[in-house]
């Protein structure tokens, strides 16, 4: 791997000067992208990624050596790797990096980064953060989600195009209930649909609501959709992963960078774009121009917040219990 030689740079981000060390360090060598290119990418989509992260407790997925062949991320099982997840505020963080205090299912607690301005995103990028994993809550109330996140997870061998009709059915069902969904690619083969909700319900109730939605979509598309939890028992192409609404489960934020050689990104879309979209259309090099021309398709998430009552009434009617946490 090429050794970075360029001196650190200071970049003006709003009212902050953010230091970027080793700006020429290769981060995606197959695409010729450096750490500074990654920083510039996040700056170019600044309004969008800040909308996705603002005031949300956020786990950082850090790749300080960049993405290279054979690179692996540390897990609880191995505790060794070239990259790692960081739940707690890193040592030496500036005093303008705010946090949210969380309690995990294990009973342990942490002060997790809760970005309040774009400078925090750039500071995190300097630490090697490529993917941001925000909770569906804000630091104002870490017990009550204000987003419902519907994860349409393709089974092995299932491509993005097979997930698209499921997303459209989710949209149609949400509309029948008076709810508005906002889709995005995951950077891989899946699709996430977000719904802004009133922060009135617990994580368990939110998971129960997504399970009820998943069961209804499964009834409508029985050949495509499953809500069966155990992977080995799933016999349909797309799993509605309701457990992503569990406490301490997160999904990749909009505009995060997937740590693969192609540097694909998680791309918010308009519903009219979904049929023709492909995950490989959206990467660190193409997204800045798209964002400059079209803005953020998820801007509407800042709009009206919806009630979960229709979905919870459906869950009651179906006799659905809150699913166990996994």
């Amino acid at each position: 791997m090429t050794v970075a030689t360029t001196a650190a740079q200071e970049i003006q981000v709003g009212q902050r000067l953010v230091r970027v060390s080793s700006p020429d360090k290769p981060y995606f060598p197959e695409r010729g992208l450096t750490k500074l290119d990654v920083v510039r990418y996040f700056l170019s989509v600044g309004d969008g990624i800040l909308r996705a992260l603002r005031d949300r407790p956020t786990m950082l997925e850090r790749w300080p050596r960049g993405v290279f062949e054979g690179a692996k991320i540390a897990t609880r099982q191995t505790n060794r790797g070239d990259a790692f997840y960081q739940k707690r505020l890193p040592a030496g963080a500036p005093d303008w990096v705010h946090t949210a205090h969380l309690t995990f299912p294990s009973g342990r607690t942490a002060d997790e980064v809760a970005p309040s301005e774009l400078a925090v995103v750039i500071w995190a990028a300097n630490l090697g953060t490529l993917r941001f994993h925000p909770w569906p809550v804000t630091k104002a109330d870490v017990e009550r989600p204000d987003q419902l996140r519907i994860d349409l997870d393709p089974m092995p061998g299932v491509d993005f195009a097979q997930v698209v009709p499921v997303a459209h059915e989710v949209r149609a069902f949400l509309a029948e209930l008076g709810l508005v969904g906002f889709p995005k690619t995951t950077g891989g083969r899946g699709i996430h649909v977000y719904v802004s909700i009133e922060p009135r319900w617990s994580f368990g109730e939110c998971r129960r609501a997504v399970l009820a939605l998943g069961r209804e979509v499964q009834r409508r598309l029985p050949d495509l959709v499953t809500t069966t939890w155990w992977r080995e028992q799933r016999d349909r192409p797309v799993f509605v992963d309701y457990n992503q609404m569990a406490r301490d489960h997160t999904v990749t934020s909009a505009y995060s960078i997937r740590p693969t050689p192609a540097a694909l990104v998680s791309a918010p879309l308009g519903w009219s774009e979904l049929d023709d979209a492909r995950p490989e259309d959206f990467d660190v090099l193409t997204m800045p121009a798209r964002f400059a021309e079209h803005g953020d398709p998820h801007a509407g998430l800042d709009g009206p917040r919806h009630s979960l009552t229709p979905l919870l009434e459906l869950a009651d009617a179906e006799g659905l219990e809150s699913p166990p946490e996994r």
Side-chain angles (χ1 to χ4, degrees):
M1 181 177 295
T2 304
V3 177
T5 57
T6 303
Q9 294 187 23
E10 287 192 329
I11 295 180
Q12 189 77 40
V13 187
Q15 298 181 345
R16 314 289 186 193
L17 273 179
V18 182
R19 185 176 183 271
V20 178
S21 61
S22 303
D24 64 345
K25 179 185 288 186
Y27 261 31
F28 292 91
E30 291 190 19
R31 302 298 304 273
L33 298 171
T34 65
K35 178 195 275 194
L36 186 59
D37 292 322
V38 168
V39 165
R40 287 172 173 161
Y41 161 74
F42 283 126
L43 287 170
S44 75
V45 296
D47 288 347
I49 193 161
L50 188 58
R51 175 173 290 110
L53 303 178
R54 190 190 299 274
D55 295 332
R56 300 188 181 280
T58 300
M59 180 173 65
L60 309 179
E61 184 178 329
R62 293 175 58 182
W63 292 76
R65 299 177 61 197
V67 177
F68 54 90
E69 186 175 356
K72 296 180 180 179
I73 191 162
T75 66
R76 290 180 182 176
Q77 291 73 31
T78 65
N79 202 32
R80 293 175 179 269
D82 307 285
F84 57 96
Y85 298 104
Q86 181 140 24
K87 290 188 175 183
R88 290 168 174 79
L89 179 71
D95 59 10
W96 41 265
V97 177
H98 298 164
T99 61
H101 188 72
L102 301 173
T103 301
F104 301 115
S106 65
R108 295 182 178 180
T109 62
D111 293 312
E112 197 159 290
V113 173
S116 57
E117 56 184 299
L118 183 56
V120 177
V121 176
I122 303 308
W123 163 81
N126 179 59
L127 297 179
T129 304
L130 299 180
R131 286 202 287 195
F132 296 84
H133 300 269
W135 285 44
V137 301
T138 69
K139 65 180 183 181
D141 186 349
V142 298
E143 301 298 330
R144 306 287 174 179
D146 69 342
Q147 286 181 346
L148 204 66
R149 297 173 178 177
I150 303 159
D151 181 10
L152 305 179
D153 185 14
M155 297 298 291
V158 175
D159 65 21
F160 181 85
Q162 292 174 273
V163 187
V164 168
V166 179
H168 282 306
E169 195 61 49
V170 167
R171 180 198 188 191
F173 179 48
L174 288 172
E176 291 171 21
L177 301 180
L179 309 177
V180 179
F182 294 83
K184 72 176 181 70
T185 70
T186 63
R189 296 173 292 117
I191 295 173
H192 296 152
V193 180
Y194 285 23
V195 181
S196 283
I197 61 173
E198 299 166 1
R200 293 168 46 196
W201 293 275
S202 69
F203 282 94
E205 290 169 311
C206 289
R207 290 167 62 241
R208 187 165 170 259
V210 175
L211 177 57
L213 178 146
R215 290 284 177 85
E216 176 61 25
V217 176
Q218 179 177 320
R219 279 190 286 270
R220 297 181 180 201
L221 299 174
D223 295 330
L224 287 179
V225 176
T226 180
T227 54
T228 299
W229 174 251
W230 299 109
R231 179 178 290 270
E232 62 272 15
Q233 296 176 6
R234 298 175 198 160
D235 57 356
R236 296 161 195 168
V238 180
F239 171 53
V240 179
D241 190 354
Y242 52 85
N243 213 49
Q244 294 295 10
M245 282 306 301
R247 172 187 284 280
D248 196 27
H249 284 227
T250 58
V251 299
T252 301
S253 81
Y255 302 103
S256 282
I257 308 171
R258 194 173 179 86
T260 59
L264 302 185
V265 304
S266 180
L269 300 173
W271 285 106
S272 63
E273 299 179 287
L274 202 55
D275 288 336
D276 295 326
R278 296 295 180 268
E280 59 270 22
D281 295 338
F282 311 106
D283 62 29
V284 169
L285 296 176
T286 61
M287 183 57 80
R290 170 184 165 84
F291 192 88
E293 181 176 357
H294 299 291
D296 183 13
H298 277 195
L301 281 170
D302 290 340
R305 299 198 175 277
H306 302 285
S307 172
L308 272 192
T309 299
L311 280 172
L312 292 175
E313 288 177 346
L314 177 62
D316 289 340
E318 294 290 326
L320 296 179
E321 301 292 335
S322 183
E325 294 194 8
R326 302 290 183 186

